[in-house]
Amino acid sequence: AQKVTQAQTEISVVEKEDVTLDCVYETRDTTYYLFWYKQPPSGELVFLIRRNSFDEQNEISGRYSWNFQKSTSSFNFTITASQVVDSAVYFCALSEANTGTASKLTFGTGTRLQVML
Amino acid sequence: NAGVTQTPKFQVLKTGQSMTLQCAQDMNHEYMSWYRQDPGMGLRLIHYSVGAGITDQGEVPNGYNVSRSTTEDFPLRLLSAAPSQTSVYFCASSTDRGKYEQYFGPGTRLTVT
């Protein structure tokens, strides 16, 4: 069975600080996808990134970066120079990479990030 | 292109009542899913579909039925609502063409009293 663990329930930072959200996963599959979603206070789910298991290259998108380490089964998310608009709940998720099953996501319990002025 | 739409946005039911949560997508996606979100538990998969006429159970299917008669629509039925079904429900769609990104609807907040 697949499992995603986000051990940090809530994080508070002051604006402009860097913050890293941790994600550890478990799967028996050799190929799989990892995702990060953002859920702002308005409630919608916003897709941030998808990474497949055979691509361990780290990715940067503006102030966001992701560190995928297969050896430790981790897919951590870093926000550089955090802003108040980053305040949200962030979910890490996992799916198999087989056809059709990529539509079945296993989510972590989420990390609530609060960025204060 | 509306993406994934869900109706209603809010609903209050009494225990034992039935209702259908509607979900539609206009992106011609093969795959559609229903999740429920409860405090401290993340999102959990209820049912999913890999195409019209094909559905399967997810992690928490009890108390819910689904059907997929068209590519566009994937309604979720509660046959006899229970307080344990109080939750926020999200519908999602995705495709094998290109990215495996799930597009989520805005959610339905359901309260069962």
Side-chain angles (χ1 to χ4, degrees):
Chain A
Q2 299 182 329
K3 185 178 178 182
V4 176
T5 301
Q6 296 180 256
Q8 304 152 308
T9 305
E10 197 159 339
I11 301 175
S12 292
V13 299
V14 176
E15 202 176 34
K16 297 182 184 168
E17 282 186 4
D18 299 345
V19 58
T20 295
L21 309 182
D22 297 332
C23 173
V24 174
Y25 62 92
E26 295 175 29
T27 180
R28 293 181 186 168
D29 299 318
T30 54
T31 54
Y32 48 88
Y33 290 108
L34 293 161
F35 301 79
W36 276 95
Y37 282 87
K38 174 182 180 180
Q39 187 175 44
S42 52
E44 73 270 26
L45 285 155
V46 179
F47 168 83
L48 295 178
I49 190 171
R50 177 195 65 123
R51 169 67 69 227
N52 65 42
S53 54
F54 42 89
D55 179 4
E56 290 194 65
Q57 192 171 15
N58 291 330
E59 183 156 341
I60 298 175
S61 176
R63 297 184 297 107
Y64 295 170
S65 61
W66 291 270
N67 185 327
F68 175 32
Q69 294 202 342
K70 212 168 179 178
S71 59
T72 56
S73 297
S74 65
F75 186 43
N76 296 338
F77 172 32
T78 297
I79 302 174
T80 303
S82 59
Q83 300 176 0
V84 171
V85 293
D86 296 326
S87 297
V89 180
Y90 291 87
F91 291 99
C92 181
L94 167 71
S95 77
E96 299 173 22
N98 298 322
T99 298
T101 57
S103 62
K104 297 167 58 180
L105 295 183
T106 298
F107 281 83
T109 52
T111 297
R112 181 178 300 276
L113 174 65
Q114 188 168 5
V115 181
M116 299 173 292
L117 290 170
Chain B
N1 196 338
V4 180
T5 58
Q6 290 182 239
T7 55
K9 286 193 173 182
F10 302 94
Q11 183 70 49
V12 179
L13 289 179
K14 289 184 169 24
T15 297
Q17 286 184 319
S18 63
M19 82 157 295
T20 300
L21 307 186
Q22 301 291 346
C23 174
Q25 53 95 5
D26 61 359
M27 297 173 282
N28 199 28
H29 284 174
E30 312 92 283
Y31 311 122
M32 296 186 75
S33 312
W34 276 102
Y35 296 85
R36 58 177 288 174
Q37 182 179 17
D38 302 295
M41 301 192 73
L43 282 83
R44 294 179 293 168
L45 182 65
I46 304 171
H47 285 285
Y48 68 101
S49 169
V50 299
I54 306 170
T55 63
D56 204 349
Q57 297 181 349
E59 181 185 352
V60 289
N62 292 341
Y64 307 96
N65 278 352
V66 292
S67 60
R68 184 110 178 262
S69 56
T70 67
T71 299
E72 295 78 21
D73 300 299
F74 191 43
L76 178 72
R77 280 183 285 276
L78 284 72
L79 298 178
S80 179
S84 61
Q85 294 178 304
T86 293
S87 189
V88 179
Y89 292 85
F90 288 95
C91 180
S93 74
S94 59
T95 177
D96 273 343
R97 302 183 296 270
K99 298 181 181 180
Y100 277 132
E101 175 188 334
Q102 289 223 348
Y103 294 84
F104 283 86
T108 294
R109 185 174 294 275
L110 176 67
T111 302
V112 183
T113 61

